Amino acid sequence: MSEQESWRELRDRRLAEPGAAEAYEATRLAYELGKTVRAMREGRGWSQNDLAREAGMTQSAVARFEAGGTIPTLPVLERLARALDADVEVRLTPRAPAA
C-alpha cells in the first residue's frame, strides 16, 4: 500500500465520523471566501494591513480569514465587503430532486 493510499483511507475514515462531512464543508467554504477576499484585496493593491484598517480589524484577523482559518460570522463578512466596496450575497438554492 502506498503512502497516498493510506492517506486516502485515513481521510475516508475521518469523513465517515459523525459531523465530519459538515465540518469539512464549512472549512472548504471558509477557504473559498478567504481566497476571494484575498484576490479582491490584491486587486486593489492593498496589503493585509490596509484591508484591516478599512474593515476595522487586525492584520492577523485578516490573515486568518484569508487562509480559511476561521469560519466567519455575517457581521465580519459585512465589514470586509464594505471595506472592499462589495456586496455579501447569501442564497439558499433548492437542489435538483433525486432521480
Side-chain angles (χ1 to χ4, degrees):
M1 178 183 305
S2 73
E3 186 174 328
Q4 188 175 15
E5 287 174 305
S6 65
W7 279 109
R8 282 188 195 130
E9 287 179 8
L10 176 61
R11 181 197 63 206
D12 292 345
R13 278 198 313 269
R14 292 290 169 109
L15 285 175
E17 294 175 5
E22 292 85 358
Y24 176 84
E25 182 62 13
T27 301
R28 186 191 67 76
L29 288 170
Y31 173 77
E32 292 297 327
L33 284 167
K35 199 165 87 170
T36 299
V37 166
R38 179 180 178 179
M40 292 178 79
R41 172 183 61 77
E42 289 176 342
R44 291 177 166 265
W46 285 1
S47 68
Q48 287 180 342
N49 278 323
D50 294 331
L51 177 55
R53 184 176 46 258
E54 291 296 319
M57 299 169 68
T58 64
Q59 178 275 328
S60 60
V62 170
R64 279 191 307 275
F65 181 89
E66 288 185 354
T70 61
I71 297 176
T73 63
L74 288 174
V76 166
L77 289 175
E78 286 288 343
R79 288 165 63 185
L80 289 166
R82 196 170 25 258
L84 292 165
D85 193 28
D87 293 317
V88 173
E89 295 180 7
V90 177
R91 283 182 286 154
L92 297 177
T93 306
R95 295 183 183 143

